Amino acid sequence: MTAPIGIIGGTALAELAGVTQQDEPAWPETAYGAPSGPLVRGRFAGREVCFVMRHGRDHRISPHAINYRANIRALADAGCRQVIAIAAVGGISETMTPGRIVIPHQVVDYSWGRAHTFYDDPEGGELDHIDFTDPYTPALRQALIDAATALDFEPADAAVHGVTQGPRLETAAEIDRMERDGCDIVGMTGMPEAALAREAGLSYACAAVVVNKAAGRTGGIAIHAEIKATLTRGMIDIERLLESVVPTI
Ligand code: HPA
């Protein structure tokens, strides 16, 4: 039996429709506590998948309060070797326009105070300093780019993903600073998730959808209805992308 593919849903993918032959959703207790929501395990696009909702079943868990360690541990314990992380992000660079699918290649982490490593238990395994030069697994990233291109999504095939603490949105000056730092997109949940996946030995890549222009880039306050409409369209695109990429990896 091949390993299930882990999928972490976010604001841009609240549930994974089209999962068949589902097991009863399980809420496994890990050494780091319970994941954000039940693990939905079943068949999707001809493969075994394991899906977890990052913000919980009813989207109540704030980015800083997510138990990233339990989510990653639960997927690893379920036998996943690869994880696709879905994210809704704000666009900083001019080309990161609402609706665009983005496969980021780099991260700048501005989050703080999150349980960000598995290596903090002196009784646990020997300390390792993971290599994080490329935070996303290149082969999995390429599979996402290829699938999105085949669907004519014209994905952004590289982007620096700045991760802020949230849950508030950023100030215009904070986004200016992030732009000077080289960030193209901004989200709140990309870290420590990516680093924990690396520590757990999992392949990990992110498929993001831009849902708004970042603070100070909108010519006004982002209109909620617009964001919602973009999000709804984005979810459809993300599901299509998953259906297309899952059989190839
Ligand atoms: N900033 C941070 N996180 C986000 C944004 C944003 O503008 N949009 C979606 N997630």
Side-chain angles (χ1 to χ4, degrees), residues 8-238:
I8 304 179
T11 307
L13 187 71
E15 60 176 341
L16 189 62
V19 180
T20 60
Q21 297 172 33
Q22 266 188 50
D23 295 348
E24 196 58 33
W27 207 307
E29 189 69 23
T30 75
Y32 300 91
S36 300
L39 292 193
V40 174
R41 194 168 170 152
R43 305 279 303 172
F44 176 83
R47 294 283 297 276
E48 187 89 0
V49 296
C50 210
F51 176 75
V52 64
M53 289 160 285
R54 194 186 278 121
H55 295 281
R57 248 198 302 213
D58 37 15
H59 204 269
R60 286 188 188 198
I61 309 176
S62 245
H64 68 283
I66 291 166
N67 190 340
Y68 295 94
R69 294 198 298 186
N71 290 348
I72 292 294
R73 192 78 265 160
L75 291 175
D77 289 351
C80 298
R81 307 300 308 146
Q82 328 185 66
V83 173
I84 298 174
I86 306 302
V89 296
I92 299 176
S93 309
E94 229 174 311
T95 55
M96 301 295 159
T97 47
R100 186 127 199 235
I101 299 283
V102 183
I103 315 299
H105 74 298
Q106 276 295 332
V107 162
V108 181
D109 186 10
Y110 303 90
S111 72
W112 50 271
R114 303 180 180 187
H116 65 285
T117 179
F118 291 116
Y119 292 113
D120 64 352
D121 174 10
E123 305 298 318
E126 196 186 336
L127 172 65
D128 190 11
H129 300 281
I130 52 155
D131 185 298
F132 207 45
T133 310
D134 292 310
Y136 301 109
T137 305
L140 196 51
R141 232 174 63 69
Q142 192 58 52
L144 284 165
I145 294 166
D146 291 346
T149 305
L151 288 165
D152 284 333
F153 285 169
E154 298 180 17
D157 62 4
V160 179
H161 185 178
V163 182
T164 57
Q165 180 72 353
R168 69 165 176 82
L169 292 166
E170 300 71 32
T171 67
E174 285 168 339
I175 293 294
D176 289 344
R177 177 179 75 150
M178 291 178 78
E179 186 164 51
R180 288 194 297 276
D181 287 352
C183 295
D184 298 297
I185 53 174
V186 52
M188 300 175 188
T189 56
M191 286 291 286
E193 196 174 271
L196 289 165
R198 182 67 51 85
E199 284 190 353
L202 305 177
S203 294
Y204 176 98
C206 171
V209 57
V210 179
V211 293
N212 61 284
K213 283 194 157 278
R217 304 291 182 277
T218 57
I221 304 289
I223 302 161
H224 232 76
E226 254 177 44
I227 296 182
K228 260 199 114 159
T230 310
L231 200 53
T232 306
R233 274 201 313 278
M235 278 206 212
I236 295 168
D237 287 349
I238 289 288

